[in-house]
Amino acid sequence: MSLRTRSWGFLGSFNAMASPCELLMAVDDEHIARQMLNIAYDEAKRIEHKFSRFIEGNVLWQLNHAQGEIIPIDAETLHLLTFAEQCFQLSEAAFDISACPLMALWRFDGSHNVPAQSNIDNALRHVGFASIELTGNSIYMPAGMSVDFGGIGKEYAVDRTAKILAQRWPNQSVLVNFGGDIACPIIKTDGWQVGIENPHKLDNAAALLTIRQGALATSGNTRRYIEVNGKRYGHIINPKTGYPIEHAPLSVTVLAPNCVMAGMLATMSMLKGAVAEDFLQQQGVDFKVFR
């Protein structure tokens, strides 16, 4: 974790949720900046440790290893699962956090292997949020099913951190940036300058946005994909076919009132494939699509 001075205030940085995280703070008091940074770090780590599917023994691990037993869940977990259920319904079963068995098959680690059809067919038998039953304080998931909060978790962490900071310092503008998912809870009159990565030239900005308040999220296949026999397979999986979405954009960036909404719309538009732009225009949000 580091804190550096800038002409406009302070820049804090750390790593969490497998991403570089930044906190831009328009403050002139280093003590306040350090307090803000500590809060952002603690909240990002808390959510990562609770909901990462790669951490053994945490809340999500217990849920994914319940093997058909009803298990109790707390209010925060219920909140995320309820939102995931809404995404599932709104997307007509395209945005499905229970696609975890498929995600475990598709490896974007440089191996360049397409899973065997028999393995995909077997995984598909354990996919489908409609089979999950939520009550006010418990969940039932059939044996063999599992969920992953990718597409929701990091965005939720951004919104949570932004909300905590805004409640404690309601007159101090900050920009929360966890791996490119961004929220600015307090208006900054002259705005924050945010670059959108060029998917054709990684680590370079293709456009510069000025954000005074609100949120931004990006979904894309620019870094996580494989090529097999000349065909490119992105990491966003169609939970109905078991294969990566066909004709999806390289990346989609969406501006919305909060990061969870921006992330949901960015992912849903990727799942729309060739008609991603039409879908986003119907939502009435500002967006940038690269193909």
Side-chain angles (χ1 to χ4, degrees):
M1 188 163 56
S2 69
L3 183 68
R4 287 166 286 177
T5 57
R6 290 289 185 268
S7 59
W8 38 259
F10 290 87
L11 168 64
S13 58
F14 58 88
N15 288 309
M17 296 176 282
S19 301
C21 300
E22 290 184 339
L23 194 64
L24 282 64
M25 300 159 277
V27 302
D28 55 11
D29 186 322
E30 183 174 347
H31 178 67
I32 290 176
R34 195 165 294 282
Q35 283 183 302
M36 288 179 166
L37 180 58
N38 286 334
I39 286 171
Y41 177 84
D42 289 345
E43 187 63 7
K45 288 294 185 183
R46 181 189 72 80
I47 292 172
E48 179 181 18
H49 289 154
K50 185 172 182 178
F51 295 119
S52 169
R53 72 181 169 98
F54 301 106
I55 296 178
E56 187 172 333
N58 68 3
V59 167
L60 194 60
W61 187 91
Q62 292 172 21
L63 196 157
N64 285 341
H65 291 77
Q67 290 301 312
E69 291 188 12
I70 297 174
I71 62 170
I73 52 176
D74 64 13
E76 185 176 45
T77 306
L78 176 63
H79 169 72
L80 281 176
L81 287 167
T82 301
F83 181 72
E85 185 177 36
Q86 292 170 347
C87 292
F88 177 77
Q89 293 167 345
L90 288 170
S91 68
E92 299 177 331
F95 191 135
D96 191 344
I97 66 168
S98 77
C100 203
L102 293 168
M103 294 160 62
L105 284 180
W106 287 92
R107 309 302 302 173
F108 300 94
D109 54 4
S111 55
H112 300 285
N113 292 321
V114 173
Q117 185 61 52
S118 58
N119 291 335
I120 290 176
D121 291 341
N122 184 54
L124 283 170
R125 283 193 278 271
H126 301 292
V127 174
F129 200 99
S131 299
I132 297 175
E133 297 174 14
L134 292 174
T135 68
N137 57 9
S138 69
I139 179 173
Y140 163 76
M141 197 160 61
M145 286 190 70
S146 56
V147 296
D148 181 289
F149 284 121
I152 297 175
K154 184 150 60 67
E155 292 83 349
Y156 171 71
V158 169
D159 283 340
R160 276 280 309 168
T161 301
K163 182 179 180 181
I164 293 170
L165 295 174
Q167 287 177 336
R168 184 159 176 182
W169 292 280
N171 299 313
Q172 305 289 349
S173 182
V174 299
L175 182 144
V176 180
N177 176 5
F178 291 174
D181 293 327
I182 288 170
C184 315
I186 305 296
I187 290 177
K188 189 173 189 290
T189 307
D190 58 349
W192 296 101
Q193 302 297 309
V194 177
I196 299 179
E197 186 178 61
N198 185 346
H200 301 289
K201 194 175 181 182
L202 297 180
D203 297 322
N204 288 276
L208 201 62
L209 298 178
T210 299
I211 301 179
R212 294 179 174 82
Q213 187 180 33
L216 175 155
T218 298
S219 180
N221 290 319
T222 55
R223 294 183 182 273
R224 295 184 62 203
Y225 67 93
I226 57 174
E227 286 187 354
V228 181
N229 297 327
K231 183 172 182 177
R232 180 185 177 109
Y233 296 88
H235 80 283
I236 297 179
I237 308 298
N238 183 336
K240 297 175 183 175
T241 66
Y243 284 83
I245 292 290
E246 297 270 0
H247 310 299
L250 287 175
S251 73
V252 175
T253 298
V254 175
L255 281 79
N258 59 68
C259 198
V260 166
M261 181 182 292
M264 174 191 71
L265 291 175
T267 301
M268 280 189 184
S269 65
M270 289 292 292
L271 290 162
K272 292 290 183 180
V275 295
E277 291 90 340
D278 293 342
F279 168 78
L280 287 168
Q281 285 170 355
Q282 292 168 8
Q283 309 311 310
V285 294
D286 293 324
F287 65 89
K288 181 70 175 176
V289 172
F290 288 99
R291 289 192 176 270

